[in-house]
Amino acid sequence: MIRRLLAALWLVLCALPGLARAGDRPGIVINPGRDDKTYRAAVQRFAAQGGKAEQLAGAVHQAVQQGLDFSGLFSRIDERAFLESTESPFLEGAPAPNCPNWRQISADALVQGEVEAAPEGVRATFRLYDVSRGCLALVRGKRFTGRNEDARRVGKAIADEIVGAFTGQRGVSDTELAFVSSRGGAKEIWVMDADGASARAATRNRSLSSFPDWDPAGQAVVYTSYRHRNRPSLFLVARGPNSPGRILAGLNGGKPIYRGVFDRSGRRLAIVMSTDGNTELFTVERSGGGLRRLTRNGAIDVSPSWSPDGSRLAFVSDRSGAPQVYVMNADGSSQRRLTFQGSYNTSPAWSPDGRWIAYETQVGGQFDIWLIDPEGQTNAPLVTHGRTDEHPTWSPDSRKLAFQSTRRGRSDIWVMDVGGSHEQARRVSEGGENTNPAWGPYRR
Amino acid sequence: MQQLLSSLEAERQRQFRRFVGVSAVFHVLFALAFWIGPIRRSGPALPAVVRVNLVEALDSAPAARPAPTALPKPPPPPPPVAKKVLPKQPAPLPKPKPAVAKPKPKEAKPEPKPKEPAPEQELDDVLAQLRKESGETAPKPLEQVAAPMGGPAGGPGIVVDAETARWMREVKIHVTRAWILAPGFRTEALVTIVEVELSPTGDVLGTETRQSSGNPWYDESVERAIQKASPVPAPPEAGEWQFTFDSRDM
């Protein structure tokens, strides 16, 4: 009996080290590090049957890869490294992927899909596996359809879904940038995909056009043009054959309007209008009603930018003697200066998540882009370069910033990740002078 | 005659009593000699006892090295290591107080300082040999590491041995390499604390989130990093280890 008791005691003593809990031990703190690391995505060629479907599948597959590249979060694995087939199986009844073989090539994500040539156009379905977590299916089968000519958009939409599955926030490769370009001679409004693809002219005014801004539905762009009597006025260009043209005509006795910016509802604009010998800020309904004056002083007040909830506006005023960024309520109350560092701060852009206001600041003979929080507690440089970087605009996920830069000589549109550890901006425009980018909303 | 006889008788009795007395004294002396003898003889056994004590003292308290200061005397007979230690045994025991109480000048005067390192080294050699013989390993030097921020193992610092500290550095590098964080998360202050069960070979056997960041996708990136990092360098001890994933660059 005693022997048995002793044996039991011995066993308990032997097991004690194995029962050690983490709380008894020192913890290990992991920080992300300064390297820009990316998830490695293995994208199998989408399965398709028939010539047309195969052609569409190729376009979708390529666009998925391009969309993942643009995310800055994924890098693709060359299919020559695959230990499994480069072709995706048809999804229905497909066997589970051979996870060890995907893990062997250090894949984090595995994308499979199929494409059909449907009567209405291309129909693509994809499946996403989280290889690191034992090929857990993050997306079991999601379908996108579009016209055949929209096959690339379908692929980018899939890429954005993949980004969303890994980050909780949809990617933005299937969004658009409006900007001003002189590539056709006159400065016109152009629109391109966020990665620079499919650039096309939105206006042919043959007159100076500037300051484009999207309506929140992504169906129209408001901009300033000197087309009407060579005076600045607001115009609206919409998708489809019928564009409204000039808007807010005759407002306040037909005073020049230098700029208009939609609020998030799309029913109201903040405008910069010439009044009492200088520019002042107003809000007005899209229809032209409900004009409200927000600023009243002898200084120049320009560059309004809405807070995402529409309750406040950031703007620029030189009332202190030099241009600085200010914040006020949407009714013009509680105006206060936000920037105190730097002698020339302008072009504020409030992030869609409300956390930051990007603005340009003069440093020596050129401009850099800085971030400041709306309360002015944190103020930090974001884009610093020997050449001028200016006119920032946020992606709808608040994770990227587009801006114009002369870092390659002429002015071009560049895109970079906010929060990226390096200044890894990529140029997305080509030809002529390209300025005044405005990032559009998610497409519906 | 009667008187003579009686005086003779008295003399004989006196002699008998003296004999008995002397005999008793001798018996007592012999008895004392036998009784005290063994006690005296136990004296020479002291060194053996001391030797045992010395071995214990050196093994259990390697940091307490006042012994060399108590042993500054010339160590002439070098050959057998064990013999060299034994003669010195009595010294440390009775003399610690005087040695400590001695004023500095006494230490300064002799100036045989070059000799001091030698006995230390020899002691180390002896220790090493004794350990070798007994199959023991050298005691691990201690190291203090920072406790995790806000972790339950918290506190100003936890003392870990050098081997654990080295492993912690290695595993930190290993897991950091496997952790991919979307740039958007870097602008937020997110912290996830996970308990990871490790096998003796470093395989991840299981994870349990002790504290969520509040962002499930961030937490998933942490889980992904741990699974991707498996196997990590073999831990000094299998079981649960706590990892704190902090989105801020430190």
Side-chain angles (χ1 to χ4, degrees), chain B residues 64-83:
Chain B
R65 284 195 181 162
T69 54
L71 299 171
K73 291 175 184 175
V81 177
K83 278 182 186 174

Side-chain angles (χ1 to χ4, degrees), chain A residues 182-193:
Chain A
S182 65
R183 65 187 72 178
K187 286 195 169 182
E188 304 279 4
I189 305 299
W190 284 63
V191 172
M192 62 182 169
D193 292 354

Side-chain angles (χ1 to χ4, degrees), chain B residues 69-103:
Chain B
T69 54
L71 299 171
K73 291 175 184 175
V81 177
K83 278 182 186 174
K84 198 176 161 190
V85 176
L86 287 174
K88 293 172 186 171
Q89 303 318 315
L93 289 177
K95 288 184 182 173
K97 283 179 185 174
V100 174
K102 275 178 188 172

Side-chain angles (χ1 to χ4, degrees), chain B residues 152-203:
Chain B
I158 296 175
V159 175
V160 298
D161 57 79
E163 186 193 349
T164 304
R166 194 184 66 244
W167 175 77
M168 287 172 70
R169 281 193 293 273
E170 287 174 0
V171 83
K172 181 183 172 84
I173 293 168
H174 189 82
V175 177
T176 300
R177 274 199 201 115
W179 189 26
I180 296 158
L181 191 62
F185 289 137
R186 289 173 187 261
T187 57
E188 300 176 43
L190 299 167
V191 175
T192 301
I193 300 176
V194 186
E195 275 183 8
V196 182
E197 191 180 352
L198 296 177
S199 76
T201 54
D203 287 301

Side-chain angles (χ1 to χ4, degrees), chain B residues 90-153:
Chain B
L93 289 177
K95 288 184 182 173
K97 283 179 185 174
V100 174
K102 275 178 188 172
K104 286 177 185 174
K106 283 191 178 177
E107 284 184 6
K109 274 181 186 174
E111 288 189 7
K113 282 185 180 173
K115 289 180 184 174
E116 287 190 10
E120 251 188 36
Q121 280 187 342
E122 285 161 9
L123 275 173
D124 284 344
D125 294 343
V126 172
L127 277 173
Q129 184 162 343
L130 288 172
R131 286 197 188 102
K132 202 175 173 183
E133 284 169 6
S134 64
E136 276 185 13
T137 54
K140 297 164 185 173
L142 298 178
E143 190 164 330
Q144 192 166 28
V145 297
M149 288 167 50

